[in-house]
Amino acid sequence: QSASEDETEEWQPESKAPKRQQKAQPSEKKPAVKRQAKPKEPKESKPKVPRKPVERKPRAPRAPKAPRAPKAPKPPKRLSFIVPDGSCNDNMSRAGGRWSEGPSSSHQPYGVKKEEPEEDFAFDEPSLKRQKTSSAPQGRPTRLPTSGRAFGEDLNMNWDLIQLLSERTGVEQWVCLNISQLFREENTIPFIVRYRKEMINHMDADAVRDVQLVALAKKTQTISQTLKKEGVLTAELEQALRNCRTADELDHVYAPYKKGSKLSKACRAKQLGLESAAQALLQSPRTLDLRAWVKPGTEGLSTVEEVSTGVEQILADMIAKDGESLTHIRSLCDNSMVMLQSSVSKTALKEQQKEGHQGKPKDIDKFHLYCDFTCSVQRIQHHQTLAINRGENLKILTVKVNIPDCVKSDFCGWCLNVRWKPNGYTREELMKILRDAVEDSYKRLLFPLLSRSYRTKLTVSAEKESIAMFVRNLRQRLLVCPVRGRVIMGVDPGFRHGCKLAILSPTISGYRGKIGVSVKRLCNTVVIGNGTACRETEAFFADLISRRFFQPLDVSYCITSEAGASIYSVSPAAVKEMPDLDPNLRSAVSIGRRVQDPLAELVKIDPKHIGIGTYQHDVSQSSLKAALDGVVQECVSFVGVDINICSETLMRHVAGLNIGRAKSIAEWRETNGPFMNRDQLRLVKGLGPKSYQQCAGFIRINPLDHLNNHRSPCSSQRGNSAQAAQEKPAAKGKGKGKTKASAAVPTLPNPLDQTCIHPESYAVARSFLSLVGGSVDQMGRPELRQCVEASVKCQGLEALAETLNTTPDTLQLIIDGLTQPPGFDIRQDFEKADFKRGIVSMSDLREGVVLTGRVENATLFGAFVDIGVGRNGLIHKRYITPDKLPADQRRRSLALGPGEKVEVRVLNVDPQRGRIGLDLIRVLR
């Protein structure tokens, strides 16, 4: 009965209690009353204890009645499109440092109770994405009535794929099942997070990215096929491969069969036919006579000692690959103090002693913290793991895992007396073989496996946290609020070739100039790169501002990161965009645009070159690239792009698009003029129904673009080319589908194309407008907002959604799209660039001085803050405590990210080394 109740609680937590009460009423009223009285009796008095077993005995046969509930056709009813109250999220938030894609308006959702966040402080721990829907569900299973076992049948594994995925990610099984199916249907993460919220229980993009199909099953299939071709795949080996749940276990089983590797000792002994002797030692040791296996003249069988050694090696291999033995020794290690130790390698010491190797001692000094380092594997920090790995790769450090001797003694005793105890009396010489086999298995096979497992686990965890911090830093850097309506002067400072200047108009078109009478009256904002000669350039402009050189303009300046600007200036994209400019001047243009529109400019640069994060060269490059590309796609998609004016580089980062499709859209735009509506995207070559579904909601079409493009000199040429293209007869057999579709695609503008509403919900949006008494022409106006608020307040969001035959999440998104003002940008509430008019030097700093700064970079050991003195100060992680953070930032592993404004206190200043120690006072909002 308890097992069936657990299953009910997992899949439909809210409906479990009322069902039991309803079933108890029709049977008999008396036992129902007694069942409620039972839990009260032991709490109030103890003398009634002897009466309880007497009453429970006749009720024992009634217990099996509970399993009858699952026999009825109720499981499929649990997987329904039911969304409980409170399923709508709040506005877009960055709680936990991650992007939470909720309703994108600046106002609160209508008719939805806002739940207060729990104070489950997870500071200084890996940010696990746990969706505790069993206690407070926000979503329900909406589809996929198949089980996780059936979902992974094509993978041919001996474990439930969805269950394993749920255990590793902390996400409920029905959510994992939905996400896995959505990925199989080639849906992108931005589309899933925004338009399929009820299916993923309102998870954010980072959490959804973690819940993906493990590659272990596919790797197992590849190995099985390889071994089958080689003719060495047996039924036992295939089962052993299918039982593997980690990559380490899989490599452990597959290692003896890899190409180029020597046959293991156990394999050679089995080829000699000693496997039956090893089995006999365990099953019938009394009848085993090793002398019968001796074959003089045969290598490995010529003496009794060789036979004993072969049997011992087979037993050692059996113990090392036994699942129960692996589980037991891992449990012993978990209850022991396993240590990670690093020291200077012999190679580094020899190089240090040799003459002419002056570089090595400096490298050793960089790792002086880890030259004699010991720490428990449970307490080691992520940045320490990555630093040790880097030192080991450079052959400066030697690393080993120390497992206590008590683990070996306990494991050997358990094997001899429990798991591998012979069946019956065993002679001493046979017991010696078994003891030696257990010790050999531990020393030669299990200890290296455990060491690799610990190193892999620590490395994977550290890489995951490092990539997560890199992702968070990149997201906050991309979503910095753009500076609109200003003429900006981008300055690329330098000594050798001087400062390169570029004047940028508010429409992002740059040209060159010198500081003269004409130029000084153009710009009101100066953006200086933080490279070489930055301080000198800053002092120069600060002096000009103090002498009122730019009057009557009120000029201010800011310093921005120029990381990656030189790489971009010589890239093909920069050459295509600015073919007539020198690469140095392109850098100045890029520096200015990073403040004018950070997202549009930074997407042109490889995220690894933007200068955020740590240990980026020490983590898995494939995982890092996939995560960073995903974040860029999320930011571009959630902000949205105007398809008629955005660059091809920015367009390729929209969900559902790629380089080829973006190029096709740009070519169609050049040939046919601006897009009039989203439906015309269907006419673009290479943009099929699935791609259109994924990208349509993130593409905006502004009606003003139509007028601007038609007034431009190129509009007549585009119109003529478009007309010529339509009059030209199509080639036979080519483009028939697109030609037929073009006749059915409307050419009139659709006001809904300016919003975040997906075309699949246009019919619902129009029905909602007619229901509240509004029209499409009133979008973004206060009168429509008042009508919507009144209607939602009167009827409720859930009731309206049911009337319109949609979900509350979709209706909330429609409300946001209809009530947002024209030109709404989600970045307007994010951090902005700091502009100043004066300068402070490092010599002005004193201990105890309180300053205001902005976080430049966040690492695994602290946060670097720009306090305006030319050197970034470090807030060590021990000073970033929960009491100094806002409540919504306490769930992160390190609750600070690039762009956040903080108030700090100077702890120490080291002018010689250029280091500034800071203490966090508070985060400014």
Side-chain angles (χ1 to χ4, degrees), residues 427-478:
R427 299 188 300 275
E428 179 59 28
E429 61 271 18
L430 298 181
M431 283 301 298
K432 183 179 183 303
I433 295 175
L434 184 58
R435 283 194 298 269
D436 293 343
V438 173
E439 292 186 2
D440 179 57
S441 177
Y442 176 84
K443 180 179 179 181
R444 182 171 56 87
L445 300 174
L446 290 177
F447 182 81
L449 173 65
L450 294 172
S451 299
R452 292 193 303 269
S453 177
Y454 277 113
R455 293 293 306 278
T456 302
K457 185 177 179 181
L458 292 175
T459 300
V460 169
S461 178
E463 288 185 355
K464 183 178 180 181
E465 185 65 15
S466 179
I467 292 175
M469 181 160 291
F470 206 124
V471 163
R472 186 167 66 242
N473 293 348
L474 177 61
R475 181 182 291 116
Q476 293 188 231
R477 182 65 61 84
L478 293 177

Side-chain angles (χ1 to χ4, degrees), residues 797-808:
L797 188 68
E798 289 76 15
L800 286 173
E802 186 176 356
T803 303
L804 297 171
N805 194 22
T806 186
T807 63

Side-chain angles (χ1 to χ4, degrees), residues 275-346:
E275 186 174 7
S276 57
Q279 294 289 348
L281 191 150
L282 298 174
Q283 301 298 331
S284 55
R286 290 188 177 184
T287 60
L288 178 61
D289 185 6
L290 297 180
R291 292 174 295 180
W293 299 87
V294 176
K295 296 181 179 179
T298 303
E299 185 179 359
L301 299 176
S302 57
T303 62
V304 176
E305 289 75 13
E306 290 183 355
V307 173
S308 301
T309 302
V311 173
E312 174 187 326
Q313 293 167 352
I314 292 176
L315 290 173
D317 183 72
M318 293 170 59
I319 295 171
K321 294 180 180 179
D322 178 60
E324 188 174 345
S325 300
L326 291 173
T327 302
H328 183 73
I329 196 171
R330 286 195 176 109
S331 64
L332 293 175
C333 291
D334 292 340
N335 297 325
S336 304
M337 187 64 69
V338 181
M339 310 294 291
L340 185 71
Q341 180 182 354
S342 65
S343 58
V344 182
S345 64
K346 295 181 180 179

Side-chain angles (χ1 to χ4, degrees), residues 75-97:
K77 292 182 180 180
R78 296 170 187 162
L79 298 174
S80 58
F81 287 85
I82 301 176
V83 180
D85 293 341
S87 61
C88 295
N89 278 357
D90 295 347
N91 299 342
M92 285 186 181
S93 62
R94 292 173 293 158

Side-chain angles (χ1 to χ4, degrees), residues 305-409:
E305 289 75 13
E306 290 183 355
V307 173
S308 301
T309 302
V311 173
E312 174 187 326
Q313 293 167 352
I314 292 176
L315 290 173
D317 183 72
M318 293 170 59
I319 295 171
K321 294 180 180 179
D322 178 60
E324 188 174 345
S325 300
L326 291 173
T327 302
H328 183 73
I329 196 171
R330 286 195 176 109
S331 64
L332 293 175
C333 291
D334 292 340
N335 297 325
S336 304
M337 187 64 69
V338 181
M339 310 294 291
L340 185 71
Q341 180 182 354
S342 65
S343 58
V344 182
S345 64
K346 295 181 180 179
T347 304
L349 292 175
K350 291 180 180 179
E351 293 292 337
Q352 188 178 18
Q353 294 173 358
K354 290 182 180 180
E355 297 180 359
H357 293 272
Q358 300 298 328
K360 275 296 179 183
K362 296 181 181 179
D363 292 339
I364 293 178
D365 291 340
K366 293 180 181 179
F367 295 92
H368 70 278
L369 294 176
Y370 306 102
C371 291
D372 187 13
F373 177 83
T374 303
C375 183
S376 170
V377 295
Q378 298 177 348
R379 296 186 177 183
I380 190 170
Q381 302 296 318
H382 297 302
H383 67 276
Q384 293 174 336
T385 300
L386 295 176
I388 290 174
N389 290 349
R390 178 185 293 181
E392 186 180 28
N393 293 333
L394 295 175
K395 298 183 179 180
I396 296 176
L397 299 177
T398 299
V399 188
K400 62 180 180 179
V401 177
N402 294 329
I403 299 177
D405 295 336
C406 60
V407 173
K408 176 183 177 181
S409 59

Side-chain angles (χ1 to χ4, degrees), residues 412-637:
C412 293
W414 177 81
C415 288
L416 294 173
N417 299 319
V418 181
R419 176 60 177 167
W420 301 96
K421 183 179 180 180
N423 187 13
Y425 173 76
T426 309
R427 299 188 300 275
E428 179 59 28
E429 61 271 18
L430 298 181
M431 283 301 298
K432 183 179 183 303
I433 295 175
L434 184 58
R435 283 194 298 269
D436 293 343
V438 173
E439 292 186 2
D440 179 57
S441 177
Y442 176 84
K443 180 179 179 181
R444 182 171 56 87
L445 300 174
L446 290 177
F447 182 81
L449 173 65
L450 294 172
S451 299
R452 292 193 303 269
S453 177
Y454 277 113
R455 293 293 306 278
T456 302
K457 185 177 179 181
L458 292 175
T459 300
V460 169
S461 178
E463 288 185 355
K464 183 178 180 181
E465 185 65 15
S466 179
I467 292 175
M469 181 160 291
F470 206 124
V471 163
R472 186 167 66 242
N473 293 348
L474 177 61
R475 181 182 291 116
Q476 293 188 231
R477 182 65 61 84
L478 293 177
L479 294 177
V480 172
C481 182
V483 177
R484 304 290 191 188
R486 294 192 186 186
V487 178
I488 292 178
M489 177 190 292
V491 182
D492 184 9
F495 286 123
R496 187 172 182 179
H497 299 287
C499 294
K500 282 72 66 178
L501 309 179
I503 305 296
L504 306 178
S505 69
T507 57
I508 319 180
S509 61
Y511 62 87
R512 296 163 286 175
K514 297 181 180 179
I515 298 183
V517 177
S518 59
V519 178
K520 75 176 186 178
R521 298 184 183 275
L522 291 177
C523 67
N524 53 11
T525 303
V526 180
V527 180
I528 306 172
N530 64 347
T532 305
C534 170
R535 294 294 292 173
E536 291 75 11
T537 306
E538 181 185 9
F540 174 72
F541 278 98
D543 180 65
L544 291 179
I545 293 173
S546 64
R547 292 191 288 109
R548 300 181 179 180
F549 178 80
F550 296 97
Q551 278 193 345
L553 298 177
D554 183 16
V555 177
S556 60
Y557 71 90
C558 72
I559 298 176
T560 189
S561 173
E562 65 175 31
S566 58
I567 298 177
Y568 163 73
S569 63
V570 295
S571 66
V575 174
K576 181 180 179 181
E577 187 178 5
M578 297 173 281
D580 299 331
L581 291 185
D582 182 84
N584 294 321
L585 294 173
R586 294 177 191 149
S587 298
V589 175
S590 178
I591 290 173
R593 287 178 176 176
R594 293 184 183 200
V595 174
Q596 197 172 45
D597 192 346
L599 179 61
E601 186 64 23
L602 293 178
V603 295
K604 305 174 184 176
I605 305 169
D606 190 339
K608 293 185 292 185
H609 299 151
I610 296 180
I612 54 177
T614 54
Y615 300 101
Q616 65 184 40
H617 300 293
D618 301 306
V619 301
S620 172
Q621 295 303 303
S622 59
S623 301
L624 178 63
K625 186 179 186 304
L628 297 182
D629 291 345
V631 171
V632 173
Q633 185 187 66
E634 294 158 19
C635 293
V636 174
S637 300

